Amino acid sequence: MFQPGGDKKVLCAGLICLDILSVLDHYPVEDTDNRIERQIWQKGGNCANSAAVVAQLGEQAEFIGTLATGRAADMVLDEMREFGVEIDHVVMHDGCDFPSSTIIINTHTGSRTIIHADKDLPELTFSQFQQLDLNWYKWIHFEGRNMTEVSQMVNAVQEFNHSASMEDRIIISGECEKAKYQPEYFISTVDVLFVAKEYAQHHGFTTAKAAVHGFHSRVKKSATVVCAWGEAGADAMGPDGVHHHTDAYSPGQVVDTLGAGDTFNGAIIAAMCRSLPLDEVLKFGCRVAGRKCGQFGYRGLRE
Amino acid sequence: MFQPGGDKKVLCAGLICLDILSVLDHYPVEDTDNRIERQIWQKGGNCANSAAVVAQLGEQAEFIGTLATGRAADMVLDEMREFGVEIDHVVMHDGCDFPSSTIIINTHTGSRTIIHADKDLPELTFSQFQQLDLNWYKWIHFEGRNMTEVSQMVNAVQEFNHSASMEDRIIISGECEKAKYQPEYFISTVDVLFVAKEYAQHHGFTTAKAAVHGFHSRVKKSATVVCAWGEAGADAMGPDGVHHHTDAYSPGQVVDTLGAGDTFNGAIIAAMCRSLPLDEVLKFGCRVAGRKCGQFGYRGLRE
């Protein structure tokens, strides 16, 4: 593993959107009027969530992605700033619809029903990514989507690493979550591979242990594979090939599991930046993700 | 009927909120992920909607109500300004939750499922209303809620009218919609009483005609009663006691009926400001409301 540089930043490159959570004690019957006490507006998007967690856990964090100009963008960017995440390189598009999700949380069953507005906002391009001075970063985390562009970004960081001194090399991590986005390019290229349960299941794995073993055989020699499996905890395997498992951390009462995976990823990145041993990294990730499930949103996750 | 003054404004006093419409071709099954093409963010609230319609139809319109400060407020206030509605007297509250509704529209069945976040935002008080210089207004329309305060507002306008010259008198209208808010004070006090189908049904009426007759016997001698009944059209009765009926105007395909009643009310007010005969007023109201049902939102309603 590379030793991360001192004052450099963790960059998360991916999606940011607005999540509007309606919290009910039932699932609404069609064509009825429902009054609720609690509605939560928060930034969403895997990478935006992970960046907010990384920043909270004490690392300098930056997010890059695209946004449609307007009040909703101002809202989520305000929130990113509050979390201490730098957003100076976010690419703004005029005249596009703002990406947002309406999420109905039924506290009685714990179900989350998601209505995501998949709009016309272009995703981050390689040429926009090239505007970044890579000397500022010690870690770049990519979301597994928009892979035509993202694979070029990964290549550019690898090229930078080839000519950089050992201490200036950037750790690259990638999240394989949705199989439909075909994030396979990450498997052979990144230093830390996050395999989501959904993605592992798509590839026939039924446990985190099996997934970690399976993917570890395909990653770079120096790479680490991490896989969280909800209530079954999380597993990981580093370059030494030793398998680690940690049980899930129970928050007492599960309140909101939305973004628990993004929180886990952010906590793993923050722990690895501190060069903790892998079993400690894994425990830390599960603790922070568990704490998140015991509350709404992403605030107050620092221990 | 009073003749409305020349350059004076129509004031609508009531609720403004944010409506977030998710348009699907089905109703979401609980605990599923749904991707949609179309999500619409628009200002909502009966009086805010009616004010936007009045302004579009060529009258100077102003809205007064309360809002929680923040980006969501900026968004709906921007929209009101775009509609040409004055909002200078809107009362802003810091640290409150922003009132908003999540509305799932199933285009297959036409159903509208509403999840309204009933939050901690205080409603407009009489003392805030007293800050207005009533000389600026020719018409004030009240929403039938928050009646402890609103009844005092109605009294204040009536007092103003008592000492005003004939041409300076303000027409007062009130909307009886939700029985739970007990808007009965309007019945004996306002010049134009809007009786919503929901309210009429609550009082045992099964047609607009019956409702108009029933309420006309209880209003002031100079008052007009107007009642819209969805697809069955609308009825009205003025001071002369002559009953008028107009069939609903069909927009071809019904797309979005949300706020059709608010649109009808706004169109009636605009038409009465032009001193049209009551049967023309009613036809105009049905035409504008029908056009609204053939489209999403409230734009482009001017003939």
Side-chain angles (χ1 to χ4, degrees), chain A residues 105-208:
Chain A
I105 296 187
N106 177 355
T107 54
H108 191 68
T109 64
S111 76
R112 303 166 300 115
T113 307
I114 297 174
I115 303 172
H116 184 73
D118 228 352
K119 301 201 180 170
D120 59 357
L121 181 68
E123 296 205 45
L124 191 70
T125 64
F126 175 53
S127 67
Q128 288 158 350
F129 181 82
Q130 279 183 301
Q131 307 305 311
L132 298 172
D133 178 353
L134 295 180
N135 287 296
W136 285 100
Y137 305 103
K138 61 182 178 186
W139 189 306
I140 301 183
H141 175 63
F142 293 101
E143 211 169 313
R145 53 184 296 147
N146 182 29
M147 291 305 295
T148 309
E149 300 294 322
V150 166
S151 59
Q152 296 178 68
M153 300 177 203
V154 171
N155 292 348
V157 183
Q158 286 187 313
E159 272 175 41
F160 172 89
N161 281 345
H162 285 315
S163 56
S165 65
M166 203 65 181
E167 61 268 29
D168 279 336
R169 287 192 193 164
I170 299 166
I171 299 176
I172 306 172
S173 60
E175 181 196 32
C176 292
E177 188 194 34
K178 298 215 183 315
K180 69 172 176 179
Y181 295 131
Q182 302 183 300
E184 285 71 35
Y185 190 72
F186 285 157
I187 299 173
S188 59
T189 54
V190 302
D191 302 300
V192 178
L193 183 70
F194 290 102
V195 179
K197 179 180 173 185
E198 177 184 337
Y199 186 78
Q201 286 177 321
H202 178 83
H203 285 268
F205 298 106
T206 55
T207 63

Side-chain angles (χ1 to χ4, degrees), chain A residues 53-69:
Chain A
V53 172
V54 168
Q56 255 190 95
L57 298 175
E59 296 296 321
Q60 298 281 342
E62 180 176 345
F63 170 80
I64 187 169
T66 61
L67 264 183
T69 46

Side-chain angles (χ1 to χ4, degrees), chain A residues 18 20 22 24 27-36 39 41 71-72 74-75 78 100 102 104 106 109 111-119 178 181, chain B residues 18 20 22 24 27-36 39 41 71-72 74-75 78 100 102 104 106 109 111-119 178 181:
Chain A
L18 179 66
I20 299 172
S22 293
L24 293 92
Y27 186 71
V29 174
E30 184 169 2
D31 220 9
T32 57
D33 273 42
N34 303 268
R35 305 252 145 190
I36 55 171
Q39 194 179 63
W41 294 47
R71 299 289 189 185
D74 298 342
M75 212 180 296
D78 280 354
S100 71
T102 292
I104 300 167
N106 177 355
T109 64
S111 76
R112 303 166 300 115
T113 307
I114 297 174
I115 303 172
H116 184 73
D118 228 352
K119 301 201 180 170
K178 298 215 183 315
Y181 295 131
Chain B
L18 179 66
I20 300 172
S22 293
L24 292 91
Y27 186 70
V29 173
E30 184 169 3
D31 221 9
T32 57
D33 273 41
N34 303 268
R35 304 253 146 190
I36 55 171
Q39 194 180 63
W41 293 48
R71 299 289 191 185
D74 298 342
M75 211 179 298
D78 280 353
S100 71
T102 293
I104 300 168
N106 176 356
T109 64
S111 76
R112 303 164 301 117
T113 307
I114 297 174
I115 303 172
H116 184 73
D118 229 351
K119 299 200 180 171
K178 297 216 183 315
Y181 295 131

Side-chain angles (χ1 to χ4, degrees), chain A residues 222-243:
Chain A
S222 57
T224 299
V225 179
V226 185
C227 179
W229 208 272
E231 291 166 1
D235 293 52
M237 190 177 281
D240 60 6
V242 177
H243 171 258

Side-chain angles (χ1 to χ4, degrees), chain B residues 279-291:
Chain B
D279 61 331
E280 291 294 323
V281 165
L282 209 51
K283 272 181 201 151
F284 184 76
C286 284
R287 270 209 310 279
V288 177
R291 199 174 311 138

